[in-house]
Amino acid sequence: MKQLISVIAFWGITLQVAGQKQASSFRDSIPFYFNEIRLAAEEYQALWNRNLYGAMLFVEPRTRELFANEPDTGGVLKPAGDIYVGILPDTENIANTAINWSGKKWAMIMLPLPRDKEVRINLLAHELFHKAQPSLGFTLHNAENNHLDKESGRIYLRLELEALKKAVGSPTSQEQQEHLRNALAFRKYRRLLYSGADTTENLLELNEGIAEFTGEIISGRDKKQAAAHFINGIDKFFGNPTFVRSFAYYTIPVYGYLLYKRNRDWNKEITTSTDLTAYFMDAFNIRVPADLETVTESIAGNYNGETIMKEEAIREEKRKKLVAGYRRRFIEQPHCEIQFEKVSISFDPRNIVPLEDKGSVYPNIRVTDAWGILTVEGGALVAPGWDRILVTNPTGADGKKITGDGWTLELADGYTLEKDEESGNYKVARTGNKP
């Protein structure tokens, strides 16, 4: 029977800074950082009517060394002064996320931590929100938004974000209102172009957008710092290979921050069924014209529209070639297919490539399951429905360790790799279970 899939989708979001002390010399500073986020969470506990501070794990990815602020109940962690230390098992994925491990639910954060205080607190508070998310009434969702890898989807997302940059930097409330209205016009028009986009975008924004808004508020940035943070962050976001899983980190935090300046309790009014776009339009008292196509065309030039459209036309041609290559590699040519059983996944949400109805290619992904551990650095196709993963055919084997072009599979006992001589495809199967 297929088991519940636990998706960890925050591998690549950490803002890391060159020169940050590594875990081996970081231990003496860890109690300071735990205390720093504890104090920040206490100061802003009115944000959700609760203190979000709780069990946290800092993980050194290379060594898998753990540093915790609380003991576990499974007896893995050992006390070391004011903290607890241990080693994360290979069967657990490392990511910035919330995780159930060794008898407790934790906020997990990869080391090194950002050097900048506000960025550091933002990150830790974001993950603490994910830890508390179910108890706050927010179901975890990581919906696919493949339309945001298409030319028009990207154009109107970029235009929306350009308008939000101007809104957050506006010197007057009147100018801010104008830019917010235009941002929402671009948003509404984008969703008219793609059926179901309003639903899938909203699901991811309720998950990652609200978490990042929480991190922004608890970070304690002043007005000037917040504006610079949003503007610089959006500009860096535009450099991401794709937007499909990471856009929510940059939309809802801006809308939410600007509304927070008017209504400190707005976030406590929303639920998992809230349409955030409709909510913000009402909260900001904004109405957009019925003829959105004409309106968005007329205002696009105010937001770098000509350059954006040229850039996206060039990218679209490159995308088509990339997709065609991935189709040959994972669908048309012989490949290796692995069915999920009880799976946990970590991946970089910034570089996913949708293949229409065939699923999405994840250039970097790590999968743990009953059959073992799959580590991919050269691309893998996750099928629609998240029931299986496809990689290229294997090129070598050393006992239970199977290798291919950009991937390694460490098979667990009781599993083997089988080849279908007719198709040339491989699959993972239980030992002795022949079709």
Side-chain angles (χ1 to χ4, degrees):
M1 180 181 295
K2 179 183 173 185
Q3 301 296 316
L4 178 66
I5 295 176
S6 173
V7 180
I8 305 175
F10 315 103
W11 189 4
I13 289 299
T14 307
L15 299 174
Q16 299 186 14
V17 179
Q20 172 72 43
K21 292 180 290 184
Q22 300 300 311
S24 60
S25 60
F26 187 63
R27 183 176 303 193
D28 292 342
S29 301
I30 287 178
F32 170 83
Y33 293 120
F34 282 142
N35 190 56
E36 180 182 65
I37 183 60
R38 179 184 65 81
L39 293 174
E42 287 178 358
E43 182 178 356
Y44 286 92
Q45 58 186 310
L47 182 64
W48 290 104
N49 288 337
R50 70 168 63 185
N51 187 346
L52 295 182
Y53 185 73
M56 303 182 73
L57 296 173
F58 294 163
V59 188
E60 215 300 319
R62 295 173 303 170
T63 64
R64 306 185 72 84
E65 190 173 7
L66 290 175
F67 305 92
N69 62 338
E70 296 182 5
D72 61 324
T73 58
V76 176
L77 299 173
K78 306 302 179 186
D82 295 331
I83 62 173
Y84 300 84
V85 300
I87 300 295
L88 187 70
D90 287 341
T91 52
E92 298 292 338
N93 289 313
I94 298 174
N96 294 326
T97 188
I99 181 175
N100 291 305
W101 174 75
S102 196
K104 297 178 75 168
K105 187 165 189 176
W106 307 82
M108 178 191 286
I109 298 92
M110 296 188 298
L111 295 174
L113 295 178
R115 180 172 303 208
D116 180 270
K117 177 182 178 181
E118 287 75 25
V119 175
R120 184 168 60 247
I121 292 176
N122 196 140
L123 168 64
L124 301 186
H126 178 118
E127 302 309 337
L128 283 170
F129 174 85
H130 282 308
K131 176 181 177 295
Q133 194 165 347
S135 64
L136 290 168
F138 289 92
T139 307
L140 289 162
H141 286 290
N142 284 289
E144 301 284 353
N145 283 278
N146 293 348
H147 63 286
L148 294 180
D149 201 44
K150 295 181 178 179
E151 185 175 358
S152 292
R154 287 177 57 92
I155 286 172
Y156 288 98
L157 175 61
R158 289 180 65 179
L159 288 170
E160 178 187 2
L161 289 170
E162 289 288 357
L164 288 178
K165 283 167 56 180
K166 289 195 174 185
V168 82
S170 294
T172 68
S173 58
Q174 182 178 358
E175 288 184 27
Q176 183 180 99
Q177 192 75 357
E178 177 185 357
H179 294 307
L180 281 171
R181 182 174 62 251
N182 292 341
L184 287 163
F186 291 131
R187 166 178 281 240
K188 293 285 285 185
Y189 183 58
R190 178 177 72 247
R191 293 179 172 189
L192 285 178
L193 297 177
Y194 300 100
S195 176
D198 53 347
T199 298
T200 57
E201 287 187 17
N202 196 62
L203 287 172
L204 192 60
E205 288 181 325
L206 281 167
N207 185 17
E208 293 303 334
I210 299 300
E212 186 64 10
F213 160 77
T214 299
E216 164 59 31
I217 299 303
I218 294 179
S219 74
R221 294 182 180 94
D222 61 29
K223 182 179 179 180
K224 183 177 179 180
Q225 289 174 318
H229 168 69
F230 289 129
I231 293 169
N232 294 336
I234 289 170
D235 285 340
K236 290 178 181 178
F237 167 72
F238 288 153
N240 286 356
T242 62
F243 298 160
V244 297
R245 284 270 187 168
S246 52
F247 75 97
Y249 287 81
Y250 304 92
T251 51
I252 298 309
V254 179
Y255 289 115
Y257 171 79
L258 294 177
L259 184 55
Y260 183 76
K261 295 303 179 183
R262 308 183 191 188
N263 175 9
R264 293 295 177 102
D265 294 319
W266 78 263
N267 55 293
K268 287 175 278 194
E269 298 172 359
I270 64 173
T271 69
T272 53
S273 61
T274 299
D275 180 335
L276 290 172
T277 300
Y279 181 89
F280 286 128
M281 289 179 68
D282 287 341
F284 288 117
N285 193 27
I286 286 174
R287 299 292 179 268
V288 297
D291 189 0
L292 283 170
E293 182 176 6
T294 299
V295 170
T296 54
E297 285 181 359
S298 68
I299 62 176
N302 299 329
Y303 302 100
N304 205 28
E306 183 177 354
T307 298
I308 288 173
M309 291 176 189
K310 287 180 179 178
E311 290 176 350
E312 292 304 327
I314 294 171
R315 181 189 182 275
E316 179 65 8
E317 292 306 310
K318 294 179 180 179
R319 183 190 73 85
K320 290 177 180 178
K321 294 178 181 178
L322 180 64
V323 167
Y326 279 140
R327 279 183 170 274
R328 288 192 298 271
R329 187 177 183 189
F330 297 118
I331 299 171
E332 298 166 7
Q333 296 175 354
H335 52 264
C336 178
E337 182 174 309
I338 308 172
Q339 294 285 332
F340 293 153
E341 296 181 21
K342 187 177 181 181
V343 68
S344 176
I345 298 177
S346 65
F347 57 87
D348 187 336
R350 299 169 299 181
N351 60 6
I352 301 164
V353 182
L355 297 191
E356 301 296 340
D357 61 335
K358 300 301 183 182
S360 295
V361 173
Y362 291 72
N364 312 96
I365 190 168
R366 186 178 192 268
V367 183
T368 61
D369 205 316
W371 38 256
I373 303 171
L374 174 66
T375 305
V376 177
E377 298 294 340
L381 175 63
V382 177
W386 284 78
D387 61 348
R388 64 193 187 280
I389 188 169
L390 290 77
V391 293
T392 57
N393 270 351
T395 57
D398 182 6
K400 286 284 190 176
K401 187 174 183 178
I402 316 297
T403 56
D405 183 13
W407 61 268
T408 301
L409 173 63
E410 300 168 70
L411 283 173
D413 291 339
Y415 290 86
T416 187
L417 199 63
E418 296 180 348
K419 183 179 181 180
D420 184 310
E421 295 297 339
E422 183 176 347
S423 66
N425 293 338
Y426 284 79
K427 69 176 182 178
V428 169
R430 291 182 182 271
T431 304
N433 286 1
K434 301 293 183 182

